[in-house]
Amino acid sequence: MLVKFYIKPRKGVLDPQGRAVAENLRSLGFSDVKDVKVGKYIEVYIEENDREKAIEKAKEMARKALVNEIIEDYEFEVVE
Amino acid sequence: MLVKFYIKPRKGVLDPQGRAVAENLRSLGFSDVKDVKVGKYIEVYIEENDREKAIEKAKEMARKALVNEIIEDYEFEVVE
């Protein structure tokens, strides 16, 4: 199965990369850009056919290795 | 509107970050991890109510600023 993780800075946490991208887009003429957040997109392919087990593993991976929950928010989905 | 971009290394392009994450996950006991890809997740909030126009702008942003199409693949969706 494939697990897709979408990770982004929590609301209120400084996101200098997002700010830089927003400024860059505006300077390129995209004047209606209000805000940008830059995070991580991670795909994890696991040998696991049970969907429920894959979901449990995904949560554990996020907590133990992929996400810093103090400063990051995340969502994930299991596909295939 | 909010545009969500999912960017990842193209197939065949070296992804040292993905390799490092895969090794880290395995060393933490997630032995069924086969492969990992690490990319970027970018949220862009734009002042644009026309969905079609937002899609056009998103493509242009990807091409001009957010994605290096030589080494990266991307998808996006417009929400709200």
Side-chain angles (χ1 to χ4, degrees):
Chain A
M1 295 219 170
L2 167 60
V3 189
K4 296 178 172 184
F5 294 90
Y6 313 104
I7 303 163
K8 66 175 181 177
R10 267 186 194 282
K11 219 181 152 166
V13 170
L14 215 62
D15 177 15
Q17 242 192 309
R19 239 175 98 169
V21 171
E23 276 163 28
N24 184 235
L25 286 171
R26 282 186 213 113
S27 77
L28 288 170
F30 299 102
S31 52
D32 44 13
V33 168
K34 282 195 297 184
D35 193 23
V36 175
K37 280 190 184 292
V38 174
K40 279 176 287 181
Y41 170 54
I42 303 178
E43 290 185 347
V44 179
Y45 297 83
I46 51 174
E47 213 116 33
E48 174 58 73
N49 297 316
D50 184 312
R51 199 182 169 73
E52 290 308 311
K53 280 189 192 156
I55 290 173
E56 282 316 305
K57 279 180 191 167
K59 284 182 193 165
E60 221 185 315
M61 284 180 197
R63 201 168 41 82
K64 286 192 182 163
L66 305 179
V67 181
N68 178 346
E69 290 191 73
I70 296 169
I71 55 167
E72 293 170 328
D73 258 337
Y74 78 102
E75 287 175 36
F76 70 89
E77 57 178 334
V78 175
V79 297
E80 272 161 56
Chain B
M1 295 220 171
L2 166 60
V3 188
K4 296 178 172 184
F5 294 90
Y6 313 104
I7 304 162
K8 66 174 182 179
R10 267 186 193 281
K11 220 180 152 167
V13 169
L14 215 63
D15 177 14
Q17 244 192 308
R19 240 175 99 168
V21 172
E23 276 163 28
N24 183 235
L25 287 171
R26 283 186 213 112
S27 77
L28 287 170
F30 300 102
S31 52
D32 45 12
V33 167
K34 280 194 298 183
D35 192 24
V36 175
K37 280 191 183 294
V38 174
K40 279 177 288 180
Y41 170 55
I42 302 179
E43 290 185 346
V44 179
Y45 297 83
I46 51 174
E47 213 116 35
E48 174 60 74
N49 297 318
D50 183 311
R51 201 183 166 74
E52 289 309 311
K53 280 188 193 157
I55 290 172
E56 282 316 304
K57 278 180 192 168
K59 285 183 192 164
E60 222 185 314
M61 284 181 198
R63 201 167 43 81
K64 287 190 180 164
L66 305 179
V67 182
N68 179 347
E69 291 189 73
I70 297 169
I71 55 167
E72 293 169 327
D73 258 337
Y74 78 102
E75 287 175 35
F76 70 89
E77 57 179 334
V78 175
V79 296
E80 273 162 55

